[in-house]
């Protein structure tokens, strides 16, 4: 009998849990380690038997300090930049903008690593056997266990949101040595503390060890002096001390129970069963390798739930929003600085928030929008002489809103506007009127005011357009890219709808409606494609990862199968031209787009490209062994895009009758549309999902067999007129709050 056998879960049980990632070997690379996070701190657990490495972050450790990036009085050059663009002198316009219109400094700041907690286990006499490490998504706990001689070793690690600490528990009180290591030099380091500074940020991390009963618990806390983007006057030492004292007083069992309860309150809202096969008995890394040639639908469910797990881990109330790597980062020079790139990436991070029932995980983003509306008002005034607020294609901890990097792609005006549409979506999903009135509306209105002032009339067509701007990351600086027009049209419509619901600003509402009708429309070009720009200049061979002009299909809903069938077909043609291969997040977007095109098998094909070993694709796409999505090297948006896309295959609640010109009752928040299994891939023959959410405040459960609906249950939170659709049939319903409505395939 091994000494601690009773404490260990049987490996066999773990291996069969559909919500577990597990491996037969420790992590060698960072993208093999297992993530835990509490919205402030993240940790990556490597699981080496005798030398455990827990690499950790705190998400306010960034380079830089409070700073206004705005290029003051840049508006003086705006007219000339526009004139040059209209005269076809793009290079001259970009050169002038590079000199006179860019952020100061031109780059924003970078998210940083914090340190490593290294644990050396002493006295292990024999090489480990029966090794297994795992991450249980359901409890949010990662564990490592193995035997050495007659001793069974087991440890677990979790990140507690309520207690703000990382908790490491070593069962059986093995002898060990602990060493904290800072990711920065110089730093003041002892075995159980590190403190130092990165430019304006001062940080501290500290552990305390508690010996309780049959185990040892190490509590790790970290904090900085960051209070908000303009104030770094907090005391990291006092913060860490207070956190540790409170956590220590609770003890391991209470911390663990509290963590599980907190995590499950969010995580368990949605269950997804796509069927079980033998393929799922293998370790996760092997399942990724096998996915292309075996039937393993349960891996799709795991990828889906992993995205939800990552959102819970990286975006919790009171903290920072999820950045390009969520909050997991081991580098002080991470790709794209691990900032907030909002010409797709930051938004994609939040695509699964509402429909997969993690609505409150968006609140950190909305807090950031409040900051951005203040910082971005200076940029709006100084660079466009406009009211309201603007965010270009990136922001950072210091809420830089001016155009960064280079004028050919940094000057993109609709980052703030796109983010503001998330406020409206949050309202549509939750029906929370107080949120609409107090938080959403003022921000949405500010985002719209900017475009009332900053849009111009195109001299050639007489339409209203944005500019200077770009179609994200290609084609250079232009006037009036399609994506901008779609975003502004949606934003204006949403502000109109919100002002109507709230009884505010009727004059503004009329003004927005008038302007919205004059924004240059979506156009079909000579290849039958949806034009990406004002001019018909798309290259059908263009495989660019961005497919920005398809915004109106997803995440927007102005191009729809039944409202705008011609544009819908053209948009589909554009996506066919772009192809099925792409980098990580781009594939995440394509899954959602093909789902909105109601083509489940095509969405599935993209998902198969996404769920393949990253190593086979020089790490430009695919999944790493720990299921992190590749985008050289790792970017979390691909995970979130995949989760949102899988949900979008099963349930859609955007109005499929929408058009760019008039807001439908669904888009205006007056009615709801529930489209059941709109893009079910033939590979997902059987399944059962509970807890998805539809716009209108509706909980949705769906069960299907052999590719056909068996039963759907709608649970509206509010009285609502709902159209339910399945397999071409529709049914109207006047639903009452709190009642269940059950449908079979005949509706
Ligand atoms: C956008 C993308 C890149 C990358 C970066 C963080 O600029 O075009 O692929 O994801 O964001």
């Amino acid at each position: 009998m091994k000494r601690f056998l009773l404490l260990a879960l049987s490996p066999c049980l773990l291996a069969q849990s559909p919500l577990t990632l597990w491996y037969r070997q420790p992590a060698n690379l960072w993208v093999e380690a297992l993530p835990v996070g509490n919205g402030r701190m993240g940790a990556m657990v490597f699981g080496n038997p005798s030398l455990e490495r827990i690499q950790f972050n705190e998400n306010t450790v960034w380079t830089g300090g409070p700073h206004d990036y705005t290029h003051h009085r840049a508006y003086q050059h705006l007219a000339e930049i526009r004139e040059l663009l209209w005269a076809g002198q793009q290079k001259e316009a970009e050169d002038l903008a590079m000199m006179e219109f860019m952020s100061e400094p031109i780059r924003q700041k970078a998210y940083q690593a914090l340190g490593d907690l290294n644990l050396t286990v002493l006295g292990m006499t024999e090489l480990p056997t029966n090794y297994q490490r795992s991450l249980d998504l359901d409890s949010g706990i990662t564990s490592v266990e193995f035997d050495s001689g007659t001793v069974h070793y087991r440890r677990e690690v979790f990140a507690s949101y309520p207690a703000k600490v990382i908790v490491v528990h070593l069962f059986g009180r093995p002898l060990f040595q602990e060493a904290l290591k800072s990711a920065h030099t110089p730093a003041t380091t002892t075995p159980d503390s590190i403190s130092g500074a990165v430019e304006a940020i001062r940080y501290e991390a500290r552990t305390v060890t508690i010996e309780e009963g049959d185990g040892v618990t190490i509590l790790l806390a970290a904090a900085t002096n960051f209070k908000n983007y303009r104030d770094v006057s907090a005391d990291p030492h006092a913060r860490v001390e207070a956190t540790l004292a409170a956590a220590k007083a609770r003890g391991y069992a209470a911390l663990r129970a509290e963590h599980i309860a907190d995590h499950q309150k969010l995580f368990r809202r949605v269950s997804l069963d796509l069927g079980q096969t033998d393929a799922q008995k293998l370790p996760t890394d092997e399942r990724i390798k096998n996915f292309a040639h075996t039937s393993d639908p349960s891996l799709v469910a795991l990828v889906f739930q992993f995205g939800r797990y990552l959102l819970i881990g990286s975006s919790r109330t009171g903290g920072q929003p999820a950045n390009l790597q969520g909050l997991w980062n081991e580098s002080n020079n991470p790709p794209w600085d691990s900032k907030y790139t909002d010409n797709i990436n930051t938004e994609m991070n939040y695509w699964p928030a509402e429909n997969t029932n993690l609505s409150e995980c968006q609140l950190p983003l909305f807090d950031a929008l409040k900051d951005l509306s203040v910082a971005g008002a200076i940029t709006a005034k100084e660079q466009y002489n406009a009211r309201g607020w603007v965010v270009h294609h990136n922001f950072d901890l210091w809420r830089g809103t001016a155009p960064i990097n280079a004028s050919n792609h940094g000057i993109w005006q609709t980052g703030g506007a796109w983010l503001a549409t998330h406020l409206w979506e949050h309202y549509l999903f939750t029906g929370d009127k107080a949120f609409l009135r107090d938080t959403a509306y003022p921000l949405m209105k500010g985002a719209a005011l900017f475009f009332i002032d900053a849009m111009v009339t195109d001299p050639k067509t007489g339409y209203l357009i944005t500019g200077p701007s770009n179609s994200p990351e290609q084609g250079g600086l232009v006037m009036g890219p399609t994506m901008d027009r779609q975003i502004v049209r949606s934003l204006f419509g949403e502000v109109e709808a919100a002002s109507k619901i709230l009884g505010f600003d009727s004059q503004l509402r009329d003004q927005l409606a008038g302007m919205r009708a004059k924004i240059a429309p979506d156009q079909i070009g000579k290849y039958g494609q949806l034009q990406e720009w004002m001019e018909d200049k798309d290259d059908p061979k263009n495989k660019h990862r961005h497919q920005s002009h398809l915004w109106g299909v997803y995440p927007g809903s102005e191009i729809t199968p039944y409202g705008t069938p011609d544009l819908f077909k053209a948009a589909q043609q554009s996506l066919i031209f772009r192809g099925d291969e792409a980098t990580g997040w781009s594939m995440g977007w394509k899954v959602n787009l093909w789902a909105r095109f109601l083509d489940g098998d095509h969405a599935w094909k993209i998902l198969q490209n996404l769920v393949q070993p990253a190593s086979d694709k020089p790490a430009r796409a695919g999944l790493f062994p720990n299921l992190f999505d590749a985008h050289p090297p790792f970017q979390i948006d691909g995970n979130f895009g995949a989760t949102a896309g899988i949900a979008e295959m099963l349930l859609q609640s955007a109005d499929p009758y929408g058009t760019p010109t008039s807001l439908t009752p669904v888009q205006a928040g007056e009615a709801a549309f529930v489209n059941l299994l709109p893009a079910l891939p033939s590979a997902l023959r059987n399944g059962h999902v509970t807890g998805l959410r539809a716009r209108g405040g509706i909980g949705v459960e769906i069960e299907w067999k052999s590719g056909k609906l068996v039963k759907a249950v709608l649970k509206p939170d509010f009285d609502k007129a709902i159209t339910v659709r399945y397999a071409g049939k529709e049914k109207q319903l006047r639903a009452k709050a709190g009642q269940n409505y059950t449908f079979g395939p005949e509706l």
Side-chain angles (χ1 to χ4, degrees):
M1 177 84 176
K2 300 212 164 33
R3 257 164 65 203
F4 305 114
L5 203 55
L6 288 177
L7 291 169
L9 283 177
S10 125
C12 168
L13 267 184
L14 274 179
Q16 283 173 8
S17 157
L19 289 171
T20 302
L21 287 69
W22 71 279
Y23 308 85
R24 291 185 171 125
Q25 67 290 327
N28 188 18
L29 304 173
W30 189 82
V31 287
E32 295 165 1
L34 292 170
V36 295
N38 65 10
R40 291 175 190 274
M41 293 184 71
M44 297 292 285
V45 183
F46 281 65
N48 267 303
S50 57
L51 178 58
E52 178 59 275
R53 176 180 177 212
I54 300 172
Q55 183 273 327
F56 65 94
N57 294 90
E58 199 277 357
N59 65 5
T60 60
V61 182
W62 288 61
T63 57
H67 180 74
D68 168 18
Y69 290 89
T70 299
H71 195 125
H72 284 251
R73 281 180 295 285
Y75 66 82
Q76 292 171 345
H77 303 277
L78 194 57
E80 193 181 347
I81 295 169
R82 286 175 178 148
E83 289 303 330
L84 285 167
L85 289 171
W86 274 321
Q89 295 177 267
Q90 188 189 51
K91 166 100 179 49
E92 288 77 0
E94 287 176 355
D95 289 349
L96 175 61
M98 201 62 194
M99 298 287 295
E100 304 290 355
F101 208 76
M102 303 304 288
S103 170
E104 295 179 333
I106 191 111
R107 288 193 60 168
Q108 291 174 355
K109 299 299 175 179
Y111 182 43
Q112 300 287 286
L114 213 189
D116 286 1
L117 169 60
N118 292 320
L119 302 174
T120 308
V121 180
L122 304 170
M124 262 176 58
T125 48
E126 288 178 46
L127 283 179
T129 54
N130 297 328
Y131 178 89
Q132 180 170 291
R133 71 189 166 98
S134 60
L135 171 63
D136 174 24
L137 302 182
D138 185 48
S139 62
I141 295 178
T142 178
S143 351
V144 183
E145 59 185 300
F146 52 90
D147 297 324
S148 171
T150 57
V151 184
H152 184 76
Y153 288 85
R154 173 170 164 79
R155 55 184 175 253
E156 52 181 45
V157 183
F158 59 87
S160 164
Y161 170 69
K164 302 196 186 89
V165 286
I166 308 278
V167 180
V168 184
H169 187 75
L170 310 176
F171 291 89
R173 288 213 195 175
L175 284 176
F176 70 97
Q177 251 169 14
E178 175 198 344
L180 275 174
K181 186 173 151 245
S182 175
H184 297 94
T185 48
T188 308
T189 307
T190 69
D192 63 1
S193 75
I194 52 179
S195 58
V198 190
E199 302 182 35
I201 289 291
R202 288 188 298 111
Y203 63 83
E204 178 162 326
R206 183 179 291 276
T207 61
V208 292
T209 302
I210 340 170
E211 304 202 352
E212 290 170 297
D214 197 24
V216 187
T217 305
I218 303 162
L219 305 174
L220 169 66
T224 73
N225 57 341
F226 181 88
K227 277 191 171 165
N228 62 56
Y229 76 106
R230 291 188 290 199
D231 182 352
V232 288
S233 66
D235 177 353
H237 178 71
R239 283 178 162 179
V240 165
E241 289 291 295
T243 301
L244 284 179
K248 191 176 172 185
R250 314 219 50 192
Y252 172 68
L255 286 170
R256 189 179 192 275
E258 179 188 52
H259 158 70
I260 291 176
D262 168 71
H263 177 76
Q264 290 182 343
K265 194 178 76 197
L266 296 159
F267 186 80
R268 285 197 167 171
R269 287 177 190 160
V270 174
S271 70
L272 174 62
D273 179 1
L274 294 173
Q276 318 294 320
T277 62
D278 279 354
Q280 78 187 61
K281 291 187 180 146
L282 291 173
T284 308
D285 44 349
E286 292 176 36
R287 290 172 73 187
I288 300 169
K289 285 189 196 137
N290 295 343
F291 188 68
H293 53 262
T294 48
S295 167
D296 188 1
S298 156
L299 183 60
V300 174
L302 190 68
V303 167
F304 169 83
Q305 292 289 22
F306 185 62
R308 296 184 66 246
Y309 172 85
L310 292 178
L311 193 59
I312 297 170
S314 61
S315 189
R316 293 297 296 272
T317 310
Q320 295 298 316
N323 64 41
L324 287 174
Q325 297 186 183
L327 46 52
W328 296 278
N329 167 40
E330 111 177 292
S331 168
N332 290 331
N333 186 20
W336 292 281
D337 304 315
S338 198
K339 305 189 290 284
Y340 299 94
T341 307
D342 54 57
N343 62 11
I344 176 70
N345 318 89
T346 303
E347 291 87 352
M348 188 178 285
N349 284 0
Y350 289 95
W351 285 356
E354 301 293 342
N355 56 352
T356 82
N357 215 335
L358 297 172
S359 189
E360 64 269 63
C361 291
Q362 277 217 92
L363 299 180
L365 179 68
F366 299 154
D367 286 343
L369 292 190
K370 287 180 197 157
D371 298 345
L372 291 169
S373 73
V374 178
I378 302 171
T379 307
K381 182 89 207 109
E382 293 291 331
Q383 303 210 197
Y384 297 89
N385 199 17
R387 293 169 299 164
W389 57 281
V390 62
V391 183
H392 293 83
H393 94 295
N394 253 282
F395 66 94
D396 61 2
L397 185 72
W398 311 110
R399 307 310 187 221
T401 51
I404 64 162
N405 297 354
S407 58
N408 65 355
H409 68 275
I411 304 177
W412 175 70
Q413 297 184 3
T414 39
W418 184 351
L419 290 165
T421 66
H422 282 228
L423 296 157
W424 178 246
E425 289 280 307
H426 183 75
Y427 168 72
L428 288 185
F429 275 93
T430 60
D432 183 345
K433 281 221 175 90
F435 167 83
L436 184 67
R437 186 189 58 228
D438 302 336
T439 303
Y441 186 72
L443 293 169
M444 291 164 63
K445 178 177 167 183
L449 285 178
F450 172 78
F451 289 99
I452 292 181
D453 291 355
M455 276 202 297
V456 285
T457 302
D458 175 31
K460 271 198 207 114
T461 63
Y463 286 124
L464 280 177
I465 55 172
T466 59
S469 194
N470 74 100
S471 192
E473 307 199 19
Q474 55 171 333
L477 196 62
V478 298
M479 295 299 292
T482 300
M483 178 192 233
D484 276 14
R485 293 183 268 119
Q486 293 173 344
I487 291 175
V488 177
R489 225 176 351 244
S490 294
L491 173 70
F492 279 14
E494 291 165 2
V495 175
E496 288 164 49
S499 75
K500 205 166 154 205
I501 290 169
L502 296 167
F504 291 169
D505 295 331
S506 67
Q507 267 182 325
L508 174 73
R509 193 183 319 149
D510 294 344
Q511 185 184 14
L512 289 172
M515 287 182 80
R516 186 159 53 85
K518 291 191 189 133
I519 297 175
D522 297 320
Q523 293 174 78
I524 300 172
K526 58 175 177 274
Y527 301 108
Q529 89 284 11
L530 183 73
Q531 282 183 208
E532 186 159 358
W533 292 277
M534 289 293 284
E535 306 80 23
D536 187 1
K537 61 182 184 188
D538 300 73
D539 173 1
K541 295 201 195 66
N542 180 0
K543 304 285 181 212
H544 202 277
R545 61 192 177 283
H546 286 267
Q547 44 242 345
S548 306
H549 49 319
L550 306 189
W551 191 93
V553 178
Y554 184 94
S557 61
E558 69 167 39
I559 297 178
T560 59
Y562 317 119
T564 62
D566 295 340
L567 288 173
F568 189 72
K569 205 166 142 237
Q572 205 163 328
Q573 184 58 57
S574 290
L575 191 57
I576 290 168
F577 286 146
R578 280 295 208 271
D580 295 339
E581 296 277 344
T583 55
W585 61 257
S586 179
M587 223 102 80
W589 195 354
K590 285 178 190 193
V591 176
N592 285 280
L593 282 167
W594 280 114
R596 280 280 172 98
F597 286 134
L598 307 174
D599 187 339
D601 284 338
H602 209 139
W604 176 256
K605 193 172 169 207
I606 308 286
L607 196 65
Q608 279 187 308
N609 287 345
L610 195 150
V611 183
Q612 61 178 315
S615 52
D616 291 359
K617 289 258 134 195
R620 290 191 59 77
L623 299 179
F624 289 106
N626 67 358
L627 292 186
F628 272 180
D629 191 72
H631 184 294
F634 149 61
Q635 216 168 273
I636 205 160
D637 39 16
N639 289 103
F640 293 135
T643 297
I646 293 162
E648 202 70 18
M649 290 170 172
L650 306 178
L651 169 70
Q652 292 179 21
S653 63
D655 192 335
Y657 292 93
T659 72
T661 41
S662 57
L663 233 54
T664 67
V666 174
Q667 291 168 329
E670 293 155 6
F673 200 101
V674 175
N675 204 342
L676 301 165
L677 304 177
L680 184 69
S682 25
L684 298 180
R685 290 182 59 72
N686 306 315
H688 189 177
V689 65
T690 65
L692 291 180
R693 301 284 297 174
R695 290 169 183 80
I698 305 164
V700 181
E701 172 183 352
I702 309 171
E703 193 185 339
W704 68 99
K705 272 211 179 75
S706 306
K708 300 261 171 324
L709 180 71
V710 172
K711 185 184 80 171
V713 186
L714 270 51
K715 303 169 189 178
D717 292 344
F718 307 95
D719 291 1
K720 204 91 208 175
I722 306 175
T723 305
V724 188
R725 184 179 173 95
Y726 172 68
K729 294 183 278 288
E730 286 183 6
K731 180 165 183 170
Q732 319 289 333
L733 180 71
R734 292 222 144 262
K736 289 259 164 260
Q739 301 221 1
N740 285 1
Y741 296 87
T742 304
F743 301 91
E746 299 308 319
L747 295 185

